[in-house]
C-alpha cells in the first residue's frame, strides 16, 4: 500500500518520514503566486530600464540611461547652484564685511569648517585647540597679529620665525636667571619678573623680538593690533612649546627656534597655503580667515 493511501484525501506525495511526517502536494496561496510572478515581471522591467547585465567591462545602459555617477553629478550641480549666490557675495566682499553679515558669516563658517579640517586640523586641532607643539587658535593670543589682514597674510605666505640659540652666548647662570624670570613673568602676568631677569632681558637684546614689555609686540598699533615677528608673549601664561615651565624655557633659550645645525632647536614652521605653491584659492583663504578669526575672537 502506498504511503498516501494511509492518509486518504490528504493529497500527499507519498513521502512519509517517522511514520507521520508527510510531504503534501498543496498549491501555494494565490497571493504568493501573484507576488512571485509580479517579482519576475519587475526584474525584467528593471533590467530593461536600468543598467543590469554586464557586457564586457560595462553593464547594459538601460533605456533610461541612469547611473550612480550621473545621479551624483546632478546632485553636485544642484548643491553648487544653491552655493553660487553665497560664493559670489564672498568673492566680492572682504573678510571684515563677511563677518559683519550674520547670514553670510554663518554660511562661510560652515563652508570653511571642511577646509579647516582638511588643511589645518592636523596641526591646530579640530577645534583650534592646538595639537602638541602647535599654536592654539582659540585663545585670542596671536604671534603675528589677529586682524583679518594679518590672518590672511599668515595663511597665504606661511610663517617661520627665528630665535637664536644662546648656548654659546650666555653663561649657565644667565640662562638659569632668564629661565626662572620667564616662569615668573608667565605666572604673574608680567608683574613678578625679577630685576636681574629684566636686566638680562634688556642687556642681551631680547627686547628686539619680544618687545619692551615682553609681550611679544615690537610695535603696538592704535587699532589694538600689533606688529610682531613671531616672538612669544612672555607674560600671558600661555606657553608656545609644551609642557612649559622652567625646563621648557631653558631649552628654548639654549637652543633657539628653527636654528640650522642645532639638532636640539625648536621646530616651528607653518607652510604657505596660497596657490600655486599651496593648494588654496583666494576664496578658500578668505573663508579660513573668517573661520580662524571667529575661533579666537580676533581683534
Amino acid at each position: 500500500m502506498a504511503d498516501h493511501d494511509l492518509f486518504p484525501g490528504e493529497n500527499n506525495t507519498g513521502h512519509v518520514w517517522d511514520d507521520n511526517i508527510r510531504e503534501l502536494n498543496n498549491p501555494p496561496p494565490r497571493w504568493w503566486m501573484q507576488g512571485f510572478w509580479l517579482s519576475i515581471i519587475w526584474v525584467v522591467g528593471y533590467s530593461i530600464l536600468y543598467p543590469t547585465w554586464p557586457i564586457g567591462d560595462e553593464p547594459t545602459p538601460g533605456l533610461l540611461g541612469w547611473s550612480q555617477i550621473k545621479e551624483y553629478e546632478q546632485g553636485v550641480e544642484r548643491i553648487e547652484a544653491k552655493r553660487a549666490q553665497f560664493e559670489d557675495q564672498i568673492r566680492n566682499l572682504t573678510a571684515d564685511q563677511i563677518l559683519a553679515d550674520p547670514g553670510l558669516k554663518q554660511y562661510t563658517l560652515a563652508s570653511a569648517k571642511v577646509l579647516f579640517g582638511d588643511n589645518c586640523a592636523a596641526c591646530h586641532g579640530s577645534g583650534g585647540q592646538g595639537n602638541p607643539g602647535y599654536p592654539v587658535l582659540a585663545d585670542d593670543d596671536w604671534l603675528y597679529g589677529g586682524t583679518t589682514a594679518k590672518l590672511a597674510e599668515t595663511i597665504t605666505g606661511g610663517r617661520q620665525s627665528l630665535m637664536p640659540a644662546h648656548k654659546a652666548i650666555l653663561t649657565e647662570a644667565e640662562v638659569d636667571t632668564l629661565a626662572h624670570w620667564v616662569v615668573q613673568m608667565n605666572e604673574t602676568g608680567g608683574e613678578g619678573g625679577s630685576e636681574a631677569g629684566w636686566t638680562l632681558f634688556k642687556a642681551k637684546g631680547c627686547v628686539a623680538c619680544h618687545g619692551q614689555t615682553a609681550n611679544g609686540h615690537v610695535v603696538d598699533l592704535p587699532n589694538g593690533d600689533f606688529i610682531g615677528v613671531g616672538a612669544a608673549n612672555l607674560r600671558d601664561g600661555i606657553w608656545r612649546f609644551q609642557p612649559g615651565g622652567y625646563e621648557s624655557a631653558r631649552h628654548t633659550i639654549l637652543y633657539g627656534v628653527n636654528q640650522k645645525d642645532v639638532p636640539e632647536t625648536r621646530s616651528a614652521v607653518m607652510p604657505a597655503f596660497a596657490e600655486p605653491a599651496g593648494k588654496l584659492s583666494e576664496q578658500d583663504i578668505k573663508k579660513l580667515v573668517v573661520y580662524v578669526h571667529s575661533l579666537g575672537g580676533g581683534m
Side-chain angles (χ1 to χ4, degrees):
M1 180 181 292
D3 288 335
H4 59 268
D5 293 334
L6 297 175
F7 305 93
E10 189 178 55
N11 194 27
N12 64 62
T13 63
H15 298 156
V16 179
W17 297 269
D18 294 336
D19 296 329
N20 61 357
I21 300 176
R22 287 95 64 197
E23 179 183 0
L24 303 183
N25 198 24
N26 296 330
R30 180 175 295 179
W31 65 264
W32 191 93
M33 290 302 298
Q34 290 172 345
F36 174 75
W37 289 110
L38 284 174
S39 66
I40 292 176
I41 294 172
W42 185 88
V43 169
V44 172
Y46 184 95
S47 301
I48 294 172
L49 296 175
Y50 292 94
T52 307
W53 306 107
I55 300 178
D57 295 331
E58 299 292 334
T60 53
L63 294 180
L64 297 180
W66 177 91
S67 72
Q68 289 180 320
I69 296 299
K70 286 183 181 179
E71 186 176 49
Y72 164 77
E73 291 173 345
Q74 291 168 356
V76 170
E77 288 177 3
R78 288 193 294 270
I79 293 173
E80 293 299 329
K82 288 184 177 294
R83 289 177 175 174
Q85 56 179 316
F86 298 104
E87 295 293 331
D88 290 342
Q89 292 181 64
I90 291 173
R91 190 173 294 108
N92 297 318
L93 296 177
T94 65
D96 288 320
Q97 290 171 324
I98 295 170
L99 286 165
D101 184 325
L104 192 56
K105 175 185 174 182
Q106 192 62 34
Y107 168 82
T108 304
L109 292 177
S111 178
K113 187 174 183 179
V114 177
L115 290 171
F116 188 87
D118 290 343
N119 299 280
C120 314
C123 296
H124 296 290
S126 59
Q129 76 275 16
N131 287 325
Y134 297 93
V136 175
L137 301 181
D139 58 7
D140 202 21
D141 183 76
W142 307 98
L143 293 174
Y144 293 91
T147 61
T148 55
K150 284 293 184 181
L151 293 176
E153 185 180 296
T154 298
I155 297 170
T156 299
R159 297 292 189 184
Q160 181 173 346
S161 59
L162 297 172
M163 174 174 169
H166 290 79
K167 186 176 182 180
I169 302 173
L170 301 176
T171 65
E172 277 292 328
E174 289 172 332
V175 172
D176 182 71
T177 298
L178 277 173
H180 280 296
W181 174 81
V182 170
V183 173
Q184 295 163 1
M185 291 287 287
N186 272 274
E187 290 178 344
T188 63
E191 302 301 326
S194 68
E195 186 175 341
W198 273 110
T199 300
L200 279 173
F201 177 76
K202 295 174 181 179
K204 298 301 180 179
C206 306
V207 294
C209 296
H210 291 282
Q212 291 289 337
T213 62
N215 64 352
H217 304 177
V218 177
V219 178
D220 289 293
L221 302 176
N223 65 351
D225 196 13
F226 62 88
I227 296 174
V229 294
N233 185 340
L234 302 180
R235 55 193 303 153
D236 59 3
I238 298 173
W239 293 90
R240 171 62 182 85
F241 300 102
Q242 296 299 325
Y246 170 79
E247 289 298 336
S248 181
R250 185 174 182 278
H251 184 99
T252 304
I253 294 168
L254 285 172
Y255 306 114
V257 179
N258 293 327
Q259 295 298 293
K260 294 181 179 179
D261 303 321
V262 181
E264 302 92 338
T265 192
R266 304 286 198 185
S267 177
V269 179
M270 175 175 169
F273 281 91
E275 296 174 328
K279 57 181 180 179
L280 297 180
S281 66
E282 183 179 344
Q283 185 94 331
D284 290 338
I285 290 175
K286 191 183 299 184
K287 291 179 181 179
L288 279 174
V289 167
V290 171
Y291 189 85
V292 173
H293 189 277
S294 298
L295 280 178
M299 287 187 177

